[in-house]
Amino acid sequence: MSQDQLDILKRALEREKAARKAAEKILEEKSRELFLTSQKLELLLEEKSSQLQGIFENIVDAYVVMDLEGKVLKLNEAATKLFGYDISKESLNVQNLIYKDDYDYAMNSFHQLKTNGFFKDYEARVYTKSKEVKWVHINASVVFDKKKRPIAAQGIVRDITDQKASEEKLIESENRLAALILNLDSGIVLEDENRNIVLTNKKFCNLFNINAQPDDLIGIDCTSASEQNKMLFKDPEAFIERMKAIDKDKQLVIGDELEMLDGKILERNYMPITIGEKSKGFLWTFTDVTLKRTYRKSLETQKQKYYGIIANMHLGLVEVNNDDEILMINQSFSEMSGYTQDEVLGKKAGLLFPIEGGSDIISEENKKRQQGQSNSYELKVKTKQGHIRYWLISGAPNYDLNGEVVGSIGIHLDITDLKTLEYQKEKLLLELEKSNNELQEYAHIVSHDLKSPLRSIDALINWIKEDNKGKLDDVSLQNFNHIERTLEKMELLISDILDYSSIGAMNDEKTNVDIAVLVDDLIKILYVPEHVSISVSNKLPSLKGDKVKLQQLFQNLISNAIKFIDKPEGIITIDVTSKSDCYEFSISDNGIGIEKQFYDKIFKIFHALNKSKDSTGIGLSIVKKIVNQHEGNIWLESELGKGTTFYFTLKK
């Protein structure tokens, strides 16, 4: 190798050494810069991590970090407060938070999160630790490692429970308002600021004979629609001009009346809708007042008609206020009292007419009227001419439109003639009572006087029989026995007549009578043959009445039943049924029975179907009289040869 070649190689080696030294210097400087940059990045990362930790801890909304299996890794303070779990002390999986009815929705959303890496605006219900149900809104995303592999998920959770409740209430209110408007008995039209229809209802369509649904009218220009429909009104141009004037003034209008060609009368109201000073629309309401206006006219006509009737009827009418001051009288009352209306207006009725304590009665009656009571009462009064009269007054409270008592109205009937007849009746009743008492005394005297000769005859016959014992033939003895039976029957007849006449002397002071005890005592003292049984089906009641008469009633009917039983085994049944205002008793037997043609006759005095020595035909007449005195009725059902049932009612 030549010297030149060696020099060239030497120079090349030196240049290479120099270049390597320069490269090492540059590398050393870059390494120093990279180290410094690395330190700055670590400091920045620590700063950002600290900032993120602060944000995580202090964020208002709940922040949740979980692994891809749903296990919760981290909760901030807001999340801990929302869900009630402390994951530092207990484990938690988000599946435990999912509301049962939202489970499928939650699983689909979680699948979307894993597939897309995020989801937004997830809204569902969750359970808290205390099993409280809350609505939440969630935005979530997947967390990746350095190799872009998904390792966890994070989400911002906002409690929207109150918001949901408010939305539901708002929807409910809107639905109620819409239903109310659609079903109002008035036609409704809501216009926007440009007079286009925003809302209307079915009633509006009906009132204006529009063959369309309310929704079909939304957006229609009301100005042009009014021009098209003006011919529905009696005065079309006036209808349009008035609507323009109302729209121009934009002032509240209440009670405009519109007459339509078909006879309907509509009442129109207008209300402008403004927010601040800016017009936002107009509300029109239309109500069919045809019936109301017709009723008002009819009411006025009826008022005039009945006022004419009241003014001319033969009953006195007086209207007073709460201070008993007379406000109005009719012509009949003027004639009854002798005063004209001008003479009594403003005067106190209680001081003007009554006498003998009548003012106190009026005062008490006025108190009843102010309590809303109505009733009738009698009053003794003196007319303007000084005549004493008796009035029957029917009083009732008078009310105003608010239902407050503002006075009373009295209808007056002059009952003076009736009172005179009552006094005469009372006098006659007293005289009749006196005559009845005298007749009763006379009946007792006659009864005693009639029985005395009968007893004497009976004694004489016994003496004759004793004195001629063994001397009289059989025919004579038979005749004497016949006389004795006739005397017994005559004495029984006299006793029954006395009983029948004394039935009228009913004891006014009724006592409480236990019928069960009464019947039981009767069965013990009556002669009941061995082949006859008496039974009581139901518990007999107690009632108010004359005990002696009621005992006589049951005794006669039971004795009758025993007397006419012709069967080897006699059965008598006593029963009772409770009615609304009375008791219905029945006494049944299985005796000989009664033919239907005799049903009414047997209750008449002296009418006996079977002549016997111990029957006078008065017993059932006495029974009927006692039942009538106790405000009852008596009747029977019978079948010849099978038995009879007597029914009778006694008032409770």
Side-chain angles (χ1 to χ4, degrees):
M1 178 179 295
S2 66
Q3 186 62 41
D4 292 335
Q5 290 176 330
L6 289 171
D7 291 339
I8 292 171
L9 288 171
K10 186 177 179 180
R11 287 194 297 270
L13 183 60
E14 289 176 354
R15 286 196 298 270
E16 184 179 346
K17 287 180 179 179
R20 186 166 56 248
K21 287 181 180 180
E24 288 176 354
K25 186 176 181 181
I26 292 171
L27 182 61
E28 184 180 351
E29 289 177 356
K30 293 297 181 182
S31 296
R32 190 181 299 111
E33 289 177 4
L34 183 61
F35 176 74
L36 293 174
T37 301
S38 175
Q39 285 186 326
K40 289 180 180 179
L41 286 174
E42 287 180 1
L43 291 173
L44 182 61
L45 180 60
E46 289 178 1
E47 182 181 349
K48 294 299 180 182
S49 297
S50 177
Q51 290 175 354
L52 287 173
Q53 182 67 23
I55 292 171
F56 169 76
E57 295 295 338
N58 297 292
I59 189 172
V60 174
D61 292 323
Y63 179 74
V64 180
V65 179
M66 67 177 186
D67 64 20
L68 297 180
E69 300 301 322
K71 181 180 179 181
V72 177
L73 305 175
K74 185 176 288 188
L75 294 175
N76 69 349
E77 185 178 348
T80 300
K81 185 176 180 181
L82 173 62
F83 296 111
Y85 289 93
D86 184 355
I87 60 171
S88 64
K89 299 178 181 178
E90 56 188 329
S91 63
L92 173 64
N93 193 294
V94 293
Q95 293 192 37
N96 298 331
L97 304 176
I98 299 171
Y99 187 73
K100 57 181 180 179
D101 292 341
D102 297 342
Y103 185 82
D104 291 340
Y105 171 59
M107 291 299 102
N108 291 335
S109 299
F110 187 68
H111 178 72
Q112 178 186 347
L113 174 66
K114 293 172 69 174
T115 303
N116 301 333
F118 68 92
F119 65 65
K120 293 183 179 180
D121 297 328
Y122 170 92
E123 288 187 1
R125 290 161 290 187
V126 296
Y127 290 115
T128 65
K129 184 178 181 180
S130 61
K131 296 303 178 183
E132 183 182 0
V133 178
K134 288 184 176 292
W135 276 95
V136 294
H137 173 277
I138 303 175
N139 289 329
S141 61
V142 174
V143 178
F144 297 93
D145 62 9
K146 293 180 180 180
K147 296 181 179 180
K148 302 297 181 180
R149 291 177 299 186
I151 57 172
Q154 60 183 354
I156 302 295
V157 184
R158 178 170 297 170
D159 185 352
I160 58 170
T161 307
D162 293 340
Q163 178 184 331
K164 277 288 184 181
S166 299
E167 287 176 358
E168 289 176 0
K169 288 181 180 178
L170 181 60
I171 292 170
E172 185 179 344
S173 298
E174 288 176 348
N175 291 338
R176 280 202 303 264
L177 181 60
L180 178 64
I181 290 174
L182 291 174
N183 294 285
L184 274 176
D185 197 38
S186 297
I188 301 293
V189 176
L190 180 63
E191 303 173 359
D192 61 18
E193 61 272 21
N194 300 316
R195 296 216 59 200
N196 295 323
I197 294 178
V198 176
L199 178 67
T200 185
N201 64 352
K202 188 67 177 176
K203 187 66 177 181
F204 174 79
C205 298
N206 293 338
L207 288 176
F208 290 93
N209 301 319
I210 299 173
N211 188 20
Q213 293 299 316
D215 291 345
D216 298 335
L217 304 182
I218 294 175
I220 291 178
D221 183 0
C222 282
T223 304
S224 60
S226 300
E227 284 288 343
Q228 294 173 7
N229 293 311
K230 68 181 181 180
M231 301 311 297
L232 295 172
F233 299 91
K234 281 189 177 181
D235 192 342
E237 296 306 322
F239 166 73
I240 294 297
E241 291 302 319
R242 176 60 176 154
M243 183 166 279
K244 288 179 179 178
I246 292 174
D247 184 46
K248 181 180 179 182
D249 293 340
K250 291 185 173 50
Q251 297 295 321
L252 181 67
V253 174
I254 301 293
D256 254 13
E257 283 198 2
L258 306 171
E259 290 190 56
M260 302 185 73
L261 282 176
D262 60 3
K264 279 191 293 196
I265 301 174
L266 302 182
E267 185 177 84
R268 175 176 58 188
N269 300 322
Y270 168 84
M271 180 185 298
I273 301 172
T274 57
I275 299 178
E277 296 182 355
K278 189 174 182 180
S279 174
K280 287 295 182 181
F282 320 95
L283 177 66
W284 301 84
T285 66
F286 299 88
T287 306
D288 188 344
V289 294
T290 310
L291 184 61
K292 188 187 297 183
R293 297 295 180 265
T294 305
Y295 178 73
R296 184 188 297 169
K297 293 177 183 177
S298 175
L299 187 63
E300 188 62 32
T301 303
Q302 294 293 325
K303 179 180 177 182
Q304 293 301 322
K305 182 176 76 173
Y306 286 110
Y307 184 80
I309 293 173
I310 290 171
N312 295 286
M313 67 183 181
H314 294 297
L315 295 173
L317 179 68
V318 178
E319 181 181 346
V320 299
N321 60 21
N322 284 331
D323 294 325
D324 195 35
E325 295 172 345
I326 296 175
L327 304 177
M328 184 273 288
I329 65 171
N330 69 344
Q331 182 60 33
S332 294
F333 184 81
S334 180
E335 294 171 1
M336 288 171 59
S337 65
Y339 291 95
T340 65
Q341 179 163 293
D342 292 338
E343 289 176 319
V344 298
L345 287 182
K347 303 289 180 60
K348 289 186 179 290
L351 302 176
L352 190 59
F353 301 106
I355 56 175
E356 297 183 5
S359 297
D360 294 334
I361 295 174
I362 292 289
S363 177
E364 289 299 318
E365 293 298 327
N366 284 339
K367 290 178 182 177
K368 293 179 183 178
R369 302 297 166 265
Q370 293 178 23
Q371 293 171 0
Q373 299 180 25
S374 302
N375 67 320
S376 298
Y377 59 97
E378 292 182 10
L379 201 63
K380 186 177 181 181
V381 300
K382 182 186 288 186
T383 66
K384 181 181 179 182
Q385 293 78 16
H387 300 148
I388 303 300
R389 308 296 292 179
Y390 292 89
W391 290 346
L392 175 64
I393 304 174
S394 292
N398 191 20
Y399 299 93
D400 62 12
L401 293 176
N402 297 320
E404 299 291 332
V405 177
V406 294
S408 62
I409 297 175
I411 303 294
H412 299 65
L413 175 65
D414 192 323
I415 58 170
T416 306
D417 294 339
L418 183 61
K419 293 294 286 187
T420 302
L421 290 174
E422 284 184 0
Y423 290 143
Q424 292 175 355
K425 177 185 174 183
E426 289 175 5
K427 186 177 179 182
L428 287 172
L429 287 174
L430 289 173
E431 292 176 356
L432 182 61
E433 184 179 359
K434 183 179 178 182
S435 297
N436 283 339
N437 291 336
E438 292 173 352
L439 184 61
Q440 188 73 20
E441 292 176 6
Y442 178 72
H444 281 281
I445 293 169
V446 169
S447 172
H448 180 270
D449 291 346
L450 287 175
K451 286 183 178 181
S452 293
L454 294 178
R455 294 190 184 102
S456 298
I457 294 171
D458 185 59
L460 287 170
I461 290 172
N462 285 324
W463 291 344
I464 292 171
K465 288 169 69 176
E466 286 293 329
D467 292 342
N468 294 280
K469 192 173 184 179
K471 299 177 182 179
L472 298 173
D473 56 17
D474 291 340
V475 175
S476 298
L477 289 173
Q478 186 177 351
N479 288 333
F480 277 124
N481 290 335
H482 181 67
I483 292 171
E484 286 177 339
R485 286 196 298 271
T486 304
L487 290 174
E488 288 175 5
K489 189 167 184 179
M490 286 182 68
E491 185 172 359
L492 178 61
L493 180 61
I494 291 168
S495 297
D496 284 350
I497 291 173
L498 181 61
D499 288 342
Y500 185 77
S501 65
S502 64
I503 292 298
M506 182 73 176
N507 185 9
D508 290 335
E509 294 183 5
K510 296 180 180 179
T511 58
N512 194 51
V513 181
D514 190 332
I515 302 298
V517 174
L518 184 147
V519 170
D520 187 55
D521 290 342
L522 274 176
I523 294 172
K524 290 176 182 177
I525 63 174
L526 284 175
Y527 170 69
V528 182
E530 292 183 359
H531 72 286
V532 176
S533 64
I534 301 175
S535 63
V536 179
S537 297
N538 289 317
K539 179 174 174 56
L540 300 177
S542 296
L543 50 83
K544 293 284 186 180
D546 187 322
K547 184 176 181 180
V548 175
K549 299 294 188 295
L550 291 174
Q551 183 174 343
Q552 195 172 5
L553 164 64
F554 280 92
Q555 181 177 337
N556 281 5
L557 289 174
I558 295 171
S559 298
N560 251 24
I562 295 171
K563 188 188 304 179
F564 295 110
I565 286 178
D566 59 345
K567 308 293 189 303
E569 183 181 353
I571 300 173
I572 298 173
T573 304
I574 303 171
D575 200 0
V576 65
T577 303
S578 180
K579 303 293 184 180
S580 59
D581 61 344
C582 67
Y583 292 107
E584 182 181 293
F585 294 88
S586 66
I587 298 179
S588 305
D589 64 64
N590 64 338
I592 61 175
I594 302 171
E595 293 184 59
K596 194 168 185 178
Q597 59 184 338
F598 299 116
Y599 282 7
D600 294 330
K601 293 181 180 179
I602 61 174
F603 293 111
K604 295 179 180 179
I605 192 168
F606 301 129
H607 192 97
L609 297 182
N610 298 82
K611 302 297 182 181
S612 64
K613 67 176 183 178
D614 55 352
S615 177
T616 61
I618 298 179
L620 288 178
S621 302
I622 292 174
V623 165
K624 182 175 177 61
K625 203 167 184 180
I626 294 172
V627 170
N628 290 341
Q629 286 184 338
H630 284 80
E631 301 179 58
N633 295 306
I634 185 167
W635 67 97
L636 73 145
E637 294 177 0
S638 182
E639 189 173 349
L640 202 62
K642 292 189 176 181
T644 303
T645 300
F646 281 91
Y647 296 94
F648 59 95
T649 60
L650 297 176
K651 190 174 182 180
K652 288 185 177 179

